[in-house]
Amino acid sequence: MKTINITIRRVQSANESADSKMYISGRFVCDCSEDVATALPVGSYHVVVERCKQYGRKMLLVLADEDCKPCCASCKMVGEPSVNSRMPCVCPMIKPGNGVYLRSDGSIIVGERLVPGVLKQPVTTFNRLFARLKTAVERGAKIMLSVESPTPLPLPSREGSGMNRLLTRPHKANPPMEICPFGACCLDF
């Protein structure tokens, strides 16, 4: 079975964003950004192509290991999906989006870096990336994601830090997020 290796190499952390470069098999693909408070820890993950109820389409979900099952079946719709839709629970995935600010769902957004934490051309970039990875999966490939960071991420400027802040004290601008019912299978931050 062929393995597609995606590497996210963090290059800059500023305020609430962790800006990175994405590589597939050592070749640069696109820029990406994460909210520092919910950024994936350095390590290796599995990426699966699954239908997301919130977006009404297949998406690239990030799982802790290959035995994990996505919690999409228990996800509740929160409205009409858009590029900047906020997930109702912590759901790390690679997806389009313009910026990381107030995005506390574990997303890795892709596009062309404009300024720290803000990307342009997110939909075009995501669609190209998704088509490439979906085709590989249909041909039997497995997708692995590796997150690298030369320095630890700074604590976010918002109250608390990391996923603990997300799960216990949500940002005032966002309603409380639900904790995934499949806690043992989801990412353990």
Side-chain angles (χ1 to χ4, degrees):
M1 176 184 284
K2 184 176 179 178
T3 301
I4 305 294
N5 293 308
I6 300 174
T7 302
I8 292 180
R9 200 166 291 138
R10 294 196 176 120
V11 293
Q12 179 182 6
S13 297
N15 297 326
E16 296 176 4
S17 71
D19 296 315
S20 311
K21 302 236 177 249
M22 181 182 287
Y23 300 87
I24 296 181
S25 300
R27 291 188 164 175
F28 175 75
V29 176
C30 64
D31 295 309
C32 44
S33 194
E34 301 169 82
D35 186 311
V36 170
T38 58
L40 287 175
V42 170
S44 295
Y45 304 91
H46 291 265
V47 176
V48 296
V49 176
E50 289 283 333
R51 182 165 177 79
C52 173
K53 189 187 292 184
Q54 184 63 35
Y55 283 95
R57 65 166 284 179
K58 290 187 175 183
M59 297 294 283
L60 301 168
L61 305 180
V62 179
L63 304 173
D65 61 53
E66 62 188 335
D67 296 327
C68 289
K69 300 285 184 242
C71 57
C72 299
S74 65
C75 186
K76 296 181 179 119
M77 290 288 293
V78 292
E80 286 295 314
S82 74
V83 171
N84 293 312
S85 288
R86 183 176 172 272
M87 298 303 290
C89 64
V90 177
C91 186
M93 70 172 69
I94 299 170
K95 66 183 190 179
N98 297 110
V100 298
Y101 301 100
L102 299 179
R103 184 181 298 276
S104 55
D105 54 13
S107 303
I108 301 168
I109 59 171
V110 296
E112 293 177 35
R113 185 174 185 268
L114 191 58
V115 295
V118 179
L119 302 172
K120 63 180 184 175
Q121 302 295 322
V123 175
T124 304
T125 303
F126 176 78
N127 287 340
R128 279 195 320 247
L129 175 65
F130 181 80
R132 182 177 179 181
L133 296 176
K134 181 179 174 225
T135 300
V137 168
E138 288 170 349
R139 294 178 179 165
K142 182 170 77 168
I143 305 171
M144 293 296 299
L145 171 69
S146 172
V147 177
E148 301 173 355
S149 184
T151 58
L153 292 176
L155 290 175
S157 59
R158 295 188 297 236
E159 179 186 17
S161 65
M163 288 303 245
N164 290 333
R165 179 205 54 82
L166 176 67
L167 297 174
T168 59
R169 294 183 310 260
H171 190 273
K172 292 176 184 163
N174 296 329
M177 296 184 91
E178 293 183 19
I179 297 173
C180 174
F182 300 97
C185 286
C186 289
L187 295 171
D188 180 21
F189 294 93

